[in-house]
Amino acid sequence: DVKVTQSSRYLVKRTGEKVFLECVQDMDHENMFWYRQDPGLGLRLIYFSYDVKMKEKGDIPEGYSVSREKKERFSLILESASTNQTSMYLCASRPPGTGARGYTFGSGTRLTVV
Amino acid sequence: SQQGEEDPQALSIQEGENATMNCSYKTSINNLQWYRQNSGRGLVHLILIRSNEREKHSGRLRVTLDTSKKSSSLLITASRAADTASYFCAITSVNDYKLSFGAGTTVTVRA
């Protein structure tokens, strides 16, 4: 089974801190995604990557950046954390192809910015 | 952008009953997927139905798709306490391979 591992289940950070959320997958998937999940809003796509060193903005990229130096690792960076970035962050990966494949999600990181 | 819209927002049923939830969307799709999320955890892929399919089964799950109405339904038969979770539909649009999710239906199965 594909595993997507997010390094932290819970994080508490201070306003203005630089925050790194790490995600690693073990099945050589090209496609990786970062979503945030908020009550009543479902999952919203922040950034995604179709290959190493490649990144594309999703629907809500403001305040975030990403890094994909190796195929298995996709990092989400909050350059200067703010309280409105308190959320559940979910990483996912998917094999290459036409999109007719399910995503594999990590367990999520619940980030609180104080 | 949020493309899938689930209905109802919440559902409470007795163990053994069937649970039905619906999803509506606005664009032309490549496929539609359903996911389950247990409290505070990541999402688990349940089933994918392509735009040229009308019905699909997987164990106790039955998914239908009506592209003329831009809607889908997920039926869970003979529900169990372990089915208590949030269920999300997600669509892949024709010209875009990213998944767009709805806000989900929260299902509670009472013992």
Short mmCIF file of all heavy atoms in Angstrom, two decimals, chain B residues 16-19 59-62 75-80 83:
data_model
loop_
_atom_site.label_atom_id
_atom_site.label_comp_id
_atom_site.label_asym_id
_atom_site.label_seq_id
_atom_site.Cartn_x
_atom_site.Cartn_y
_atom_site.Cartn_z
N GLY B 16 -27.57 -0.77 10.68
CA GLY B 16 -28.35 -1.66 9.84
C GLY B 16 -29.14 -0.95 8.76
O GLY B 16 -29.52 -1.57 7.75
N GLU B 17 -29.39 0.35 8.94
CA GLU B 17 -30.11 1.11 7.92
C GLU B 17 -29.15 1.50 6.79
O GLU B 17 -27.94 1.40 6.92
CB GLU B 17 -30.72 2.38 8.53
CG GLU B 17 -31.84 2.12 9.51
CD GLU B 17 -32.40 3.41 10.10
OE1 GLU B 17 -31.72 4.45 10.03
OE2 GLU B 17 -33.53 3.35 10.62
N ASN B 18 -29.76 1.95 5.70
CA ASN B 18 -28.96 2.45 4.58
C ASN B 18 -28.76 3.96 4.73
O ASN B 18 -29.62 4.67 5.25
CB ASN B 18 -29.66 2.17 3.26
CG ASN B 18 -29.79 0.69 2.97
OD1 ASN B 18 -29.10 -0.14 3.56
ND2 ASN B 18 -30.69 0.34 2.07
N ALA B 19 -27.64 4.42 4.24
CA ALA B 19 -27.34 5.86 4.24
C ALA B 19 -27.14 6.31 2.81
O ALA B 19 -26.39 5.68 2.05
CB ALA B 19 -26.08 6.15 5.05
N GLY B 59 -18.25 -3.49 -2.50
CA GLY B 59 -18.72 -3.99 -1.20
C GLY B 59 -20.11 -3.47 -0.88
O GLY B 59 -21.06 -3.65 -1.65
N ARG B 60 -20.25 -2.76 0.23
CA ARG B 60 -21.54 -2.20 0.63
C ARG B 60 -21.80 -0.81 0.04
O ARG B 60 -22.79 -0.17 0.39
CB ARG B 60 -21.61 -2.14 2.16
CG ARG B 60 -21.65 -3.51 2.84
CD ARG B 60 -21.79 -3.40 4.35
NE ARG B 60 -20.65 -2.73 4.97
CZ ARG B 60 -20.71 -1.54 5.55
NH1 ARG B 60 -21.84 -0.87 5.60
NH2 ARG B 60 -19.62 -1.03 6.09
N LEU B 61 -20.93 -0.37 -0.81
CA LEU B 61 -21.06 0.95 -1.41
C LEU B 61 -21.63 0.85 -2.82
O LEU B 61 -21.24 -0.03 -3.59
CB LEU B 61 -19.71 1.65 -1.48
CG LEU B 61 -18.92 1.80 -0.20
CD1 LEU B 61 -17.59 2.51 -0.47
CD2 LEU B 61 -19.71 2.55 0.84
N ARG B 62 -22.55 1.76 -3.11
CA ARG B 62 -23.08 1.88 -4.46
C ARG B 62 -23.06 3.35 -4.85
O ARG B 62 -23.60 4.19 -4.13
CB ARG B 62 -24.49 1.32 -4.54
CG ARG B 62 -25.18 1.53 -5.89
CD ARG B 62 -26.56 0.91 -5.90
NE ARG B 62 -27.34 1.34 -7.05
CZ ARG B 62 -28.37 2.17 -6.99
NH1 ARG B 62 -28.78 2.65 -5.83
NH2 ARG B 62 -29.03 2.50 -8.08
N LEU B 75 -24.50 5.41 -1.77
CA LEU B 75 -25.36 4.63 -0.89
C LEU B 75 -24.49 3.67 -0.11
O LEU B 75 -23.69 2.93 -0.70
CB LEU B 75 -26.39 3.84 -1.70
CG LEU B 75 -27.18 2.75 -0.97
CD1 LEU B 75 -28.12 3.36 0.06
CD2 LEU B 75 -27.96 1.88 -1.96
N ILE B 76 -24.63 3.69 1.21
CA ILE B 76 -23.98 2.71 2.07
C ILE B 76 -25.07 1.80 2.60
O ILE B 76 -25.99 2.27 3.31
CB ILE B 76 -23.24 3.39 3.25
CG1 ILE B 76 -22.27 4.44 2.74
CG2 ILE B 76 -22.50 2.34 4.09
CD1 ILE B 76 -21.65 5.29 3.85
N THR B 77 -25.01 0.54 2.28
CA THR B 77 -26.06 -0.37 2.73
C THR B 77 -25.66 -1.02 4.06
O THR B 77 -24.47 -1.15 4.38
CB THR B 77 -26.30 -1.47 1.69
OG1 THR B 77 -25.08 -2.20 1.50
CG2 THR B 77 -26.76 -0.89 0.37
N ALA B 78 -26.70 -1.39 4.84
CA ALA B 78 -26.49 -2.11 6.10
C ALA B 78 -25.40 -1.46 6.94
O ALA B 78 -24.38 -2.07 7.25
CB ALA B 78 -26.15 -3.57 5.82
N SER B 79 -25.62 -0.20 7.29
CA SER B 79 -24.56 0.58 7.93
C SER B 79 -24.13 -0.01 9.27
O SER B 79 -24.90 -0.69 9.97
CB SER B 79 -25.04 2.02 8.13
OG SER B 79 -26.15 2.03 8.99
N ARG B 80 -22.88 0.28 9.60
CA ARG B 80 -22.27 -0.18 10.84
C ARG B 80 -21.75 1.02 11.61
O ARG B 80 -21.52 2.09 11.02
CB ARG B 80 -21.12 -1.12 10.53
CG ARG B 80 -21.49 -2.29 9.67
CD ARG B 80 -20.25 -2.98 9.14
NE ARG B 80 -20.59 -4.09 8.25
CZ ARG B 80 -19.71 -4.73 7.49
NH1 ARG B 80 -18.44 -4.38 7.51
NH2 ARG B 80 -20.09 -5.72 6.71
N ASP B 83 -18.95 2.94 10.14
CA ASP B 83 -19.19 3.82 8.99
C ASP B 83 -19.33 5.28 9.42
O ASP B 83 -19.43 6.17 8.56
CB ASP B 83 -20.44 3.39 8.23
CG ASP B 83 -20.31 2.02 7.59
OD1 ASP B 83 -19.17 1.68 7.18
OD2 ASP B 83 -21.32 1.29 7.51
#
